Amino acid sequence: MTKVITYGTYDLLHYGHIRLLERAKALGDYLVVGITSDAYDKTRGKINNQQSLMERIAAVEATGLADEIVVEEYEGQKIDDIKRLGIDIFTVGSDWEGYFDYLKEFCKVVYLERTEGISSSQIRAKNSSLKIGLLGNSQFLEKVYKESKVVNGGDICGIYADNLVDIPSSLKDLELVTDKLDLLLDNVDAVYIHSYPAIHYEQIRYALNKGKHVLVESPVALNRTQYKELVNLAQINKVVLMEAIRTAYSTAYNRLLVILQSGKIGEIVSVDATCTSLKSINNKELDKKWNSITAWGPTALLPVFQILGDDYVEKKIISRVEQENKDIKFDTFTKIDFVFEDATASIKVGRGVKSEGELIISGTKGYAYVPAPWWKTDYFELRYENPADNRRYFYQLDGEGIRYELVSFLQAIRTGSNNVAIATEVTDAIVGIMEDYFEDSNVTLI
């Protein structure tokens, strides 16, 4: 019996896929189809899949062409599969010609001509007409625009700012550049907001009431009453309201959470996160309105609330505030300590004070260490009493996680359900900290 194996993503299964599988099947007596997992696709920079792994497996099964299906999850698995399954022929489309010649050491390699004029990417592009507008004048929006170019499903076509002079230069050539918010909203389906935290609530509410989907840089709002109102508005208007914390969408961070839940380091008793930067705080008005607690607080708080929950019994906030900026409460450094029933947590954030930007999660069997800058990591370690037991984990991170965030936003809009990467309860807890800080609830100034 001649055994054949081929691999693919098989997103939005089409005639070209089926024709390739038919020809692969004809090469032997038994066809094994390898379907790449979502996580492995991300490491290869393929992040536009519109179907889940289970949906893609079901679609291939429905063709009746696969005698066996395996899930491809890591680099080098093809060699392992060929050896383990006793494969005689490896085959793939001719657009990969020469790339898999290294497998000739283990089996015969055949490159098949692909069906011309059709691809999943073309289908995704054809089916997508979502127009996205930007709100704000932050230089960061240039990164968002750049990363959107590698994400199918939506096009950034305009930008709104109350002062057009401050719009980043690369965005001034967009189809629509305006200081009239209504004009932008009337010409887009969704918005990405990166404006001053103090005006997030008003801008989000206005966009939601006009039936627009919203992806907003955290914090979503500065008090819980406002946040709950926005959540209700999104539900009433049947649109997506999603919080933008890029870390939450990165592969490494999500793998870390899964590993922690499996008990690899035992019961978790402490979470310590630090996020700091030394950007100027004296020149640009934008810098002055993004203080430490709003610029870094949501990111540092993310692992605390996702790992330990939001049911803390005590917290203490200590903040260093610049005297000349007292009217807007610009903190150059803030430290928050939490006490939970069976654990503790601490975050340190700063714009004007520098520290090691690491994440350490302590457990009863070992600890997880994520080196600086942990919020855009592609690597972390599990460390134990016996160093021989230590494990290292590597996952590719592209575009600082921005593109993964955009993909999640577009998928949420397409499926009609809010993304669950950041639970509503977690966002509510983050907003609650913002509220306590600005209302001077248990805040000690130094």
Side-chain angles (χ1 to χ4, degrees):
M1 181 173 67
T2 301
K3 300 183 76 173
V4 182
I5 194 167
T6 187
Y7 292 84
T9 300
Y10 303 105
D11 188 37
L12 302 174
L13 191 76
H14 52 70
Y15 175 72
H17 288 139
I18 295 172
R19 180 61 183 145
L20 202 65
L21 289 174
E22 288 174 339
R23 296 172 66 195
K25 179 87 167 181
L27 292 174
D29 308 298
Y30 189 91
L31 177 63
V32 180
V33 179
I35 302 178
T36 55
S37 68
D38 295 329
Y40 184 52
D41 268 336
K42 280 187 178 181
T43 67
R44 303 185 304 151
K46 192 167 187 175
I47 59 174
N48 295 324
N49 292 341
Q50 294 196 13
Q51 293 179 301
S52 68
L53 174 62
M54 296 310 298
E55 288 174 318
R56 291 182 282 122
I57 289 175
V60 172
E61 285 179 336
T63 67
L65 295 169
D67 296 293
E68 183 176 347
I69 292 176
V70 297
V71 177
E72 186 179 22
E73 300 184 274
Y74 59 89
E75 187 73 27
Q77 184 177 329
K78 290 181 177 67
I79 293 176
D80 292 341
D81 287 345
I82 289 169
K83 290 180 176 180
R84 176 174 59 86
L85 299 171
I87 298 299
D88 301 293
I89 299 173
F90 168 89
T91 187
V92 72
S94 59
D95 50 335
W96 290 97
E97 188 159 2
Y99 187 86
F100 292 108
D101 284 356
Y102 70 92
L103 295 177
K104 291 179 179 179
E105 179 182 346
F106 308 97
C107 66
K108 183 179 179 180
V109 176
V110 176
Y111 296 102
L112 298 171
E113 288 297 323
R114 299 183 68 96
T115 304
E116 294 294 331
I118 187 168
S119 74
S120 297
S121 295
Q122 290 172 333
I123 293 174
R124 284 190 291 264
K126 182 178 179 180
N127 290 340
S128 66
S129 57
L130 194 71
K131 292 184 177 181
I132 303 173
L134 302 175
L135 269 67
N137 57 4
S138 167
Q139 294 296 316
F140 176 78
L141 290 174
E142 289 188 301
K143 291 185 178 181
V144 175
Y145 179 61
K146 178 182 177 182
E147 290 302 313
S148 73
K149 295 298 185 181
V150 296
V151 176
N152 286 334
D155 296 304
I156 292 177
C157 60
I159 183 170
Y160 158 83
D162 53 9
N163 187 348
L164 299 182
V165 175
D166 294 331
I167 291 178
S169 58
S170 65
L171 301 179
K172 291 182 178 179
D173 293 329
L174 288 173
E175 180 181 336
L176 177 60
V177 178
T178 181
D179 57 2
K180 296 178 176 59
L181 183 54
D182 276 323
L183 181 59
L184 180 76
L185 293 177
D186 288 343
N187 286 277
V188 299
D189 305 297
V191 291
Y192 186 110
I193 300 177
H194 195 291
S195 56
Y196 309 138
I199 61 175
H200 280 179
Y201 164 71
E202 292 293 343
Q203 289 183 333
I204 296 169
R205 185 178 66 169
Y206 199 72
L208 294 177
N209 276 325
K210 297 207 67 161
K212 308 304 175 182
H213 305 284
V214 175
L215 175 59
V216 57
E217 195 73 15
S218 190
V220 176
L222 297 181
N223 70 65
R224 279 175 158 157
T225 300
Q226 291 178 346
Y227 175 59
K228 289 176 181 177
E229 179 189 345
L230 296 176
V231 171
N232 288 334
L233 273 177
Q235 293 174 344
I236 291 170
N237 290 290
K238 297 181 180 180
V239 292
V240 171
L241 170 60
M242 192 169 123
E243 182 176 22
I245 303 179
R246 292 172 294 286
T247 306
Y249 303 90
S250 72
T251 303
Y253 179 76
N254 279 282
R255 285 291 177 244
L256 173 62
L257 294 182
V258 170
I259 288 171
L260 294 176
Q261 291 171 355
S262 71
K264 292 287 187 180
I265 63 171
E267 182 183 350
I268 296 170
V269 298
S270 178
V271 176
D272 298 281
T274 300
C275 302
T276 62
S277 57
L278 287 178
K279 293 181 179 179
S280 168
I281 61 173
N282 297 316
N283 297 324
K284 292 184 178 180
E285 192 67 20
L286 178 63
D287 279 338
K288 292 180 181 180
K289 293 185 178 181
W290 279 93
N291 56 3
S292 298
I293 194 67
T294 54
W296 283 120
T299 300
L301 290 166
L302 181 70
V304 173
F305 294 137
Q306 286 190 321
I307 295 170
L308 299 178
D310 60 353
D311 193 20
Y312 53 87
V313 296
E314 182 183 336
K315 75 173 183 300
K316 183 177 182 180
I317 304 175
I318 303 172
S319 190
R320 183 178 186 272
V321 176
E322 289 290 297
Q323 294 300 315
E324 62 266 28
N325 294 322
K326 200 74 172 182
D327 58 326
I328 60 171
K329 200 173 182 178
F330 189 100
D331 59 317
T332 56
F333 179 79
T334 292
K335 184 176 188 291
I336 307 179
D337 295 316
F338 297 91
V339 178
F340 292 81
E341 185 176 348
D342 298 309
T344 66
S346 177
I347 72 162
K348 292 187 292 186
V349 295
R351 299 194 76 213
V353 173
K354 191 64 181 171
S355 186
E356 185 71 14
E358 60 190 10
L359 172 64
I360 300 175
I361 302 150
S362 305
T364 55
K365 294 180 181 179
Y367 69 97
Y369 174 73
V370 190
W374 73 263
W375 52 90
K376 50 183 179 181
T377 187
D378 56 2
Y379 158 76
F380 63 87
E381 294 183 21
L382 298 188
R383 295 178 177 177
Y384 299 93
E385 189 76 14
N386 180 1
D389 296 330
N390 291 355
R391 290 286 308 275
R392 297 180 177 182
Y393 298 83
F394 298 86
Y395 300 92
Q396 185 169 321
L397 178 69
D398 296 297
E400 299 181 24
I402 298 171
R403 62 181 67 174
Y404 306 145
E405 190 174 65
L406 290 172
V407 167
S408 296
F409 181 50
L410 295 171
Q411 287 177 337
I413 294 172
R414 191 183 72 253
T415 60
S417 61
N418 275 314
N419 190 273
V420 295
I422 306 176
T424 302
E425 294 77 14
V426 172
T427 301
D428 184 68
I430 291 173
V431 170
I433 296 299
M434 301 298 129
E435 181 175 9
D436 289 347
Y437 183 83
F438 287 104
E439 292 186 359
D440 293 317
S441 177
N442 299 317
V443 179
T444 299
L445 300 181
I446 58 173

